[in-house]
Amino acid sequence: MKNILIIALIVIFGTISALEKSTVEKINKYSGKNKRSLLEMVDKQKGKTLEYVEFILNNSSPNDLAVLTPAYILESVEYAIRSKEFLYSKQYDENIFKHFVLPLRSSQEPFENWRKQFYDELKPVVENISNIEEAAIAINFWAYEHMTYKSTHGRDQGPLTTIKRGWGRCEEMMIFYMAAARSVGIPVRSAGAPFWNFTDNNHAWVEVWTPDGWKYLGELANSLNKTWFSHTTLRASLITSRVFGDYQEKNTIKYEDNSTILSSIEYYTDKYDDAKIMIDDELGQPVEGALVTLYAVSYGGLMPLIDARTDKFGEVSIPLGKGSVFITAYDDRSKFGYALFNSLENDAEIRIVLKDGNERIDEELNFKFQIYNSEFENDKTQKEYFKDTFDLKNQLSDLKRKMKFENFKRTIDFVYYFDNSIKNYDQIIFSKRQKHFLEKCDLLGQNTSEFLKVYKGLKTNKTKLKILTSMIEEWDEKELNEIPDSTAISDLVNIYYEGKNKYIKIIPDSVFTSNVVGVTWKSGTPPQNGWQTELYDQIKDLRSYNINTTVKDVVKWVDTKVKVDSNFVYEYYAGSLNPVEILNMRSIPEFYRIKLLNCSLKLLGVPVQWKGRLEYFNGKEFITVESVSEKKKPEDRKVKLSLYIDDEKVKADPWNNFLMGELDKGVLQYSYFDGENDSLDYILTFPKQDDKFLYLEAGVRNSNGDANVVIKNIGNTDTDITIKLTTPKEYIDISSELSDEAVKKINSLTSSISNSKNKIVLVRGVISTEPTQRMLNLLLEKAAKFEELETSIVIYTELRNNDDLKNIEAVNIIQKQGEILIPETADESYPIVILADSNNKILFSSKGYNMSIADLLISKIKNIKK
């Protein structure tokens, strides 16, 4: 009896201690209706299942605890355990399994129940493969049957939405692949460059665990460590990978809020430094716990790359690629310091002194980066897999994807409904809208039939027909693909219809379409996973004929349902929440409350917009939601920016050559502003904030990415600010490296084009690649500008057809096919870009991906005209 009692106590103690005390507190605080069932679930588990459930819950963010259910967790754990059955799964230990196979998510995607579905489909693909690298590549063939790259806004979509949609940006491709790989026991982690620093972009990709160490994967290739961005990573300032939970190793930069950031740069280049950043106070003493933030040049200003706290010696050590980074440092006593660090010219150490009252930054900074070496290959010894069948498998994956999504396109079926929705429009406007609408319909993926089903039921209701058409026009295709089914679509149309009828006499159609049906802010849009009906049932009785009263009542209702937690901590592994999930969470950050207000008001038919604060339309004008009684907005400030580059006045273009930032607790980050151009100048409009340190940041690059950046403090009385930039000297141009044979072929090509214009030649290699498509898109976006500059764009495709270019309509686009122009160019070095003048003289040429290529070419063409 005594032994039985001891065993029982051990079992009880084991169950109680399975969850950390802080986790139990978080479940009670954030899990709402699910908190009891989650705790009961833990009590019932044992063995490995208990260990894995504990690991998941102990490292789950508040966002995830608001969503997770026992059924979801247990099914995911069950199939994660099943993935241990594969031959290659015996090669790694439990620590690798828990951190890189078991996790429920890869980034900030909404939870979707992917693991069982992917396991069932992919088990036959890898069950006879013993080599983990070969299995990883086999999974990549499958992934490319289902999706390809397409730029989209910043909120992540889930892996099942990716299958429905067929497209996604780089991080969504990463999320999709990671889910697939983990479903069959392949350890993977997310990796990326938060910002490239030498160009205005970032990228995310996948790293795969192998017995030889971590290796990376991108588009289809027959080995790991071989992808289009291999050359780009050589020049990165920082490459990091993320890990779910606390994972300590030599490359760990920091563990914070249930996730670990590792440095991965050693897997991509040997040209990096273990940079040491030392922080002292004014007495020369090291400052422990100071917040050190590193910044890249991007989108016209400075963007945070990473932050870390100094150790007891006042130091932070971070592996950094050769080049420049801007650094700020701050401690809790409000002392501040900053410096530009350039490892190309200095030792890999820098010392920053913190001073009182040092927050006003007024600096000109010159960033320099490594010169691109086109001959370097990251690893020439990688084993190749599927060598004899790779090209065939590649083509088959491409064909399967194209056939799958071509079958979804039913353009002609949508024409009728658009024509019956949009009446009394100028023919030119009508044609443009119809073209845009039909292009969106071609991107509806598996939801194509669901939308047509709803349209069919709306033939007799012109208002509802118009609402549905407006949804397709106004929403991003990501959200259109997220909607679960025709029932959810129909319910939402009915909800909008009721709101429109309620305020039909006081809200113009254009305002309703843009500010009720339309998107308030892209990155803040919640997942469109069918929450509208449930939320609407809770709030529909709050609507009255007086919009002001409706807004007041919604604000009161929201504040009875949720509590703003000013100490809320955002965690990396945290999916976007819809409003119903926010309500279940209850204890929320202020921004979630704003999202809840935004979604509630729109469902009730109240138009809203975001202008650095949430505003609603009261029938006459937009006023601030939180100042209903005042019926006026807080005071706005206006500042005019005049921008000069190389002594020539240029158009000030937000997110291209300037942005506005603010310094908040030592971190320089983007600050909201609105505005418009007044000729070349830009008039910024933003809420008056005398208590904040606001800055205008402007930058210009050369073709190597080197940048001149100016930061100017916006004083409380400033109304006009002028910034002068100087383009750094250019270094990168491979024209002098071209062989006589290549020059002869290029001259023959450009001479065969019978016009007297300058020519830009984009050379597409034998293999279709993502960077080639990206750079083609960059040139096409500026096609009208190139035409204005009397320049033709020649798309030259080597040893394959141009069928994929049939929809390009710009008048100055010329398509050519033929032999290889520059022999021995590696596949990953494409595209090649060549600029020739009207006399067919080669003025510039480059290899590889360059995000700034269009602006660079425009600048060079302008110099020709001078």
Side-chain angles (χ1 to χ4, degrees):
M1 183 70 183
K2 182 177 179 181
N3 289 337
I4 294 173
L5 180 60
I6 290 173
I7 292 171
L9 288 172
I10 291 173
V11 170
I12 292 171
F13 180 77
T15 301
I16 292 172
S17 63
L19 290 180
E20 297 170 3
K21 180 181 177 182
S22 60
T23 302
V24 176
E25 291 172 350
K26 285 167 66 177
I27 289 173
N28 283 319
K29 184 174 184 178
Y30 298 118
S31 296
K33 63 184 180 182
N34 296 324
K35 61 185 178 184
R36 181 174 179 178
S37 61
L38 286 174
L39 294 173
E40 289 176 348
M41 171 195 65
V42 176
D43 288 343
K44 295 175 182 177
Q45 307 312 312
K46 59 183 180 180
K48 285 295 181 184
T49 300
L50 175 59
E51 179 184 343
Y52 298 153
V53 167
E54 169 195 7
F55 180 78
I56 289 169
L57 289 175
N58 282 336
N59 292 290
S60 289
S61 64
N63 283 40
D64 288 356
L65 291 174
V67 178
L68 284 171
T69 64
Y72 183 89
I73 295 172
L74 291 175
E75 180 177 279
S76 186
V77 168
E78 176 192 346
Y79 278 85
I81 292 172
R82 288 193 189 189
S83 74
K84 292 183 176 185
E85 69 194 24
F86 297 103
L87 297 172
Y88 47 77
S89 300
K90 310 299 184 290
Q91 297 175 342
Y92 53 79
D93 60 22
E94 275 289 287
N95 197 39
I96 293 293
F97 173 82
K98 286 204 295 187
H99 288 285
F100 304 110
V101 175
L102 178 63
L104 307 181
R105 64 163 61 258
S106 304
S107 188
Q108 288 94 42
E109 73 276 15
F111 277 134
E112 292 178 341
N113 202 2
W114 51 267
R115 200 179 292 260
K116 179 182 184 301
Q117 179 177 327
F118 284 10
Y119 172 88
D120 290 342
E121 188 163 347
L122 288 167
K123 179 180 178 180
V125 174
V126 297
E127 60 185 345
N128 295 320
I129 299 176
S130 59
N131 184 289
I132 203 163
E133 294 189 35
E134 183 178 351
I137 293 169
I139 296 300
N140 213 17
F141 282 122
W142 176 87
Y144 270 80
E145 290 178 14
H146 292 282
M147 82 169 299
T148 189
Y149 174 82
K150 181 178 173 59
S151 180
T152 185
H153 68 69
R155 182 180 62 75
D156 293 335
Q157 67 192 25
L160 298 185
T161 297
T162 295
I163 285 186
K164 286 179 65 177
R165 184 178 177 220
W167 295 278
R169 73 188 201 287
C170 56
E171 185 153 347
E172 290 161 337
M173 296 178 78
M174 175 199 82
I175 291 166
F176 182 62
Y177 180 87
M178 288 179 67
R182 285 175 171 173
S183 73
V184 287
I186 300 174
V188 288
R189 67 190 188 191
S190 61
F195 293 98
W196 284 123
N197 207 358
F198 59 87
T199 190
D200 294 351
N201 210 332
N202 57 7
H203 192 47
W205 60 88
V206 177
E207 290 179 342
V208 180
W209 182 92
T210 78
D212 299 325
W214 289 91
K215 298 183 180 182
Y216 57 91
L217 173 145
E219 84 282 7
L220 282 174
N222 56 7
S223 68
L224 301 183
N225 285 8
K226 181 181 180 182
T227 185
W228 68 267
F229 56 82
S230 294
H231 288 150
T232 311
T233 56
L234 294 173
R235 308 184 65 215
S237 294
L238 180 72
I239 297 176
T240 59
S241 55
R242 282 273 187 173
V243 187
F244 183 75
D246 188 355
Y247 186 76
Q248 297 299 316
E249 60 161 51
K250 67 182 180 68
N251 293 325
T252 297
I253 296 176
K254 66 175 181 177
Y255 166 70
E256 184 176 77
D257 303 325
N258 292 321
S259 72
T260 303
I261 300 180
L262 306 174
S263 170
S264 289
I265 200 165
E266 68 175 80
Y267 301 116
Y268 301 87
T269 179
D270 58 358
K271 295 181 179 178
Y272 69 92
D273 294 304
D274 289 316
K276 183 184 290 186
I277 304 164
M278 299 167 285
I279 309 301
D280 291 345
D281 62 20
E282 292 178 272
L283 299 177
Q285 297 300 308
V287 179
E288 181 179 359
L291 179 66
V292 175
T293 307
L294 279 62
Y295 304 82
V297 183
S298 202
Y299 298 107
L302 299 178
M303 292 290 180
L305 274 170
I306 196 170
D307 62 61
R309 295 277 179 180
T310 53
D311 60 19
K312 63 182 179 180
F313 303 107
E315 297 178 355
V316 167
S317 293
I318 298 178
L320 295 175
K322 292 288 188 181
S324 304
V325 292
F326 184 64
I327 304 172
T328 61
Y330 170 84
D331 76 350
D332 294 337
R333 293 166 295 173
S334 299
K335 292 191 175 182
F336 180 75
Y338 61 87
L340 181 68
F341 173 65
N342 186 348
S343 60
L344 288 173
E345 298 179 350
N346 306 309
D347 294 333
E349 294 185 357
I350 189 168
R351 188 177 299 275
I352 297 175
V353 178
L354 302 187
K355 298 179 181 179
D356 282 326
N358 198 32
E359 292 90 344
R360 295 189 183 277
I361 306 173
D362 198 347
E363 290 286 337
E364 179 173 357
L365 308 169
N366 290 298
F367 289 73
K368 295 182 180 179
F369 305 105
Q370 295 183 74
I371 297 175
Y372 174 72
N373 180 359
S374 61
E375 302 304 317
F376 183 90
E377 293 184 21
N378 292 41
D379 192 338
K380 299 180 181 180
T381 63
Q382 288 297 310
K383 181 178 178 181
E384 295 184 343
Y385 299 90
F386 307 100
K387 193 169 184 179
D388 296 332
T389 59
F390 175 79
D391 289 343
L392 181 61
K393 285 179 172 289
N394 189 349
Q395 292 170 17
L396 188 60
S397 291
D398 191 48
L399 181 61
K400 284 184 176 180
R401 185 185 67 252
K402 288 179 178 177
M403 288 179 61
K404 177 179 177 180
F405 289 96
E406 197 63 38
N407 289 336
F408 290 130
K409 293 182 181 180
R410 295 170 61 181
T411 309
I412 194 67
D413 293 335
F414 284 98
V415 172
Y416 169 82
Y417 297 114
F418 180 85
D419 291 353
N420 280 273
S421 303
I422 309 300
K423 300 289 186 183
N424 303 321
Y425 265 94
D426 174 90
Q427 187 58 44
I428 295 177
I429 296 175
F430 178 87
S431 296
K432 286 182 177 180
R433 284 189 63 182
Q434 185 191 63
K435 181 176 182 290
H436 170 71
F437 172 80
L438 295 177
E439 287 172 350
K440 294 286 288 292
C441 291
D442 282 348
L443 300 175
L444 294 177
Q446 292 181 12
N447 268 352
T448 301
S449 60
E450 302 299 309
F451 276 92
L452 286 172
K453 191 184 298 183
V454 177
Y455 264 126
K456 187 176 181 180
L458 298 180
K459 282 185 178 180
T460 58
N461 191 314
K462 298 296 184 182
T463 302
K464 290 185 179 181
L465 200 66
K466 186 174 180 180
I467 288 172
L468 182 54
T469 297
S470 297
M471 277 181 59
I472 294 175
E473 288 183 296
E474 295 287 330
W475 285 26
D476 186 272
E477 61 262 27
K478 178 186 294 184
E479 277 79 37
L480 295 172
N481 277 272
E482 281 180 324
I483 303 177
D485 50 35
S486 60
T487 300
I489 299 169
S490 181
D491 287 349
L492 185 51
V493 170
N494 289 333
I495 290 170
Y496 283 148
Y497 179 72
E498 290 183 20
K500 183 170 181 60
N501 282 344
K502 191 76 171 183
Y503 302 123
I504 195 166
K505 294 182 179 180
I506 54 177
I507 296 177
D509 281 353
S510 60
V511 174
F512 182 86
T513 297
S514 297
N515 301 92
V516 174
V517 179
V519 176
T520 305
W521 53 72
K522 286 186 176 180
S523 60
T525 303
Q528 300 295 350
N529 45 13
W531 48 266
Q532 283 89 347
T533 301
E534 184 175 348
L535 178 62
Y536 185 64
D537 286 344
Q538 296 184 57
I539 64 173
K540 59 187 177 183
D541 291 339
L542 298 174
R543 181 169 50 204
S544 68
Y545 284 103
N546 185 298
I547 293 181
N548 292 333
T549 301
T550 299
V551 174
K552 284 182 180 179
D553 289 345
V554 168
V555 172
K556 289 179 182 177
W557 178 82
V558 165
D559 288 337
T560 64
K561 296 293 183 180
V562 296
K563 178 182 179 182
V564 172
D565 180 1
S566 59
N567 297 315
F568 184 90
V569 176
Y570 288 94
E571 297 185 15
Y572 176 81
Y573 289 108
S576 300
L577 299 184
N578 69 40
V580 173
E581 292 162 344
I582 291 173
L583 286 170
N584 188 56
M585 191 179 189
R586 292 191 61 82
S587 185
I588 63 173
E590 175 63 30
F591 182 57
Y592 286 12
R593 176 178 174 273
I594 293 170
K595 288 175 70 172
L596 186 54
L597 287 169
N598 168 67
C599 294
S600 299
L601 291 172
K602 291 173 77 169
L603 286 189
L604 295 176
V606 178
V608 296
Q609 66 180 16
W610 180 253
K611 294 292 181 180
R613 64 232 163 193
L614 191 64
E615 299 177 349
Y616 76 97
F617 186 73
N618 64 2
K620 296 180 180 178
E621 62 179 341
F622 280 95
I623 64 173
T624 306
V625 167
E626 301 292 3
S627 305
V628 176
S629 59
E630 300 173 20
K631 296 189 176 157
K632 64 179 182 180
K633 300 179 184 179
E635 185 179 349
D636 276 338
R637 280 195 66 186
K638 292 185 181 295
V639 172
K640 181 174 75 174
L641 171 64
S642 300
L643 191 60
Y644 291 79
I645 297 178
D646 301 328
D647 295 324
E648 180 182 351
K649 193 169 188 179
V650 299
K651 181 180 179 181
D653 187 1
W655 298 103
N656 182 21
N657 54 27
F658 87 91
L659 56 79
M660 188 172 85
E662 66 177 77
L663 193 66
D664 183 20
K665 295 183 178 179
V667 180
L668 186 62
Q669 53 196 342
Y670 163 71
S671 181
Y672 170 83
F673 67 94
D674 198 356
E676 60 185 2
N677 281 99
D678 177 13
S679 187
L680 296 179
D681 296 329
Y682 192 90
I683 310 299
L684 292 91
T685 304
F686 51 94
K688 189 175 182 181
Q689 304 167 87
D690 291 341
D691 59 334
K692 289 191 175 183
F693 294 106
L694 298 176
Y695 301 89
L696 280 175
E697 307 167 26
V700 62
R701 296 186 187 275
N702 63 21
S703 58
N704 186 56
D706 304 323
N708 177 234
V709 176
V710 171
I711 307 173
K712 278 193 175 290
N713 176 250
I714 303 175
N716 289 339
T717 60
D718 286 338
T719 56
D720 296 83
I721 292 179
T722 297
I723 294 180
K724 295 184 177 182
L725 300 167
T726 302
T727 304
K729 179 182 176 182
E730 291 184 359
Y731 296 96
I732 189 165
D733 184 348
I734 67 165
S735 300
S736 61
E737 303 172 18
L738 297 176
S739 66
D740 292 342
E741 178 189 1
V743 171
K744 185 176 179 180
K745 289 180 178 180
I746 294 167
N747 285 336
S748 176
L749 170 65
T750 57
S751 298
S752 69
I753 299 167
S754 57
N755 64 36
S756 59
K757 297 181 178 181
N758 305 312
K759 291 106 180 174
I760 295 169
V761 182
L762 179 85
V763 183
R764 308 195 308 163
V766 178
I767 303 298
S768 175
T769 66
E770 182 182 327
T772 300
Q773 184 59 46
R774 282 179 177 235
M775 280 189 45
L776 174 59
N777 291 342
L778 292 172
L779 295 179
L780 294 178
E781 286 173 4
K782 299 291 179 74
K785 183 63 177 179
F786 288 126
E787 175 67 13
E788 179 186 320
L789 294 171
E790 299 180 342
T791 301
S792 297
I793 300 173
V794 182
I795 306 173
Y796 182 84
T797 307
E798 297 178 337
L799 301 181
R800 60 187 173 97
N801 62 49
N802 279 338
D803 292 348
D804 58 324
L805 304 177
K806 60 186 178 183
N807 293 326
I808 295 177
E809 299 176 353
V811 295
N812 59 325
I813 304 295
I814 300 166
Q815 299 179 26
K816 292 280 187 177
Q817 300 162 258
E819 62 181 339
I820 292 175
L821 283 186
I822 304 176
E824 299 181 359
T825 301
D827 291 340
E828 60 268 25
S829 294
Y830 283 90
I832 300 167
V833 174
I834 301 158
L835 174 63
D837 64 15
S838 57
N839 297 316
N840 301 307
K841 179 183 177 181
I842 298 173
L843 303 178
F844 171 82
S845 58
S846 69
K847 289 182 182 179
Y849 180 71
N850 186 335
M851 188 68 179
S852 305
I853 192 66
D855 292 331
L856 170 64
L857 292 170
I858 288 170
S859 174
K860 289 184 174 297
I861 294 165
K862 285 181 176 179
N863 287 333
I864 296 172
K865 296 178 76 67
K866 289 180 181 179

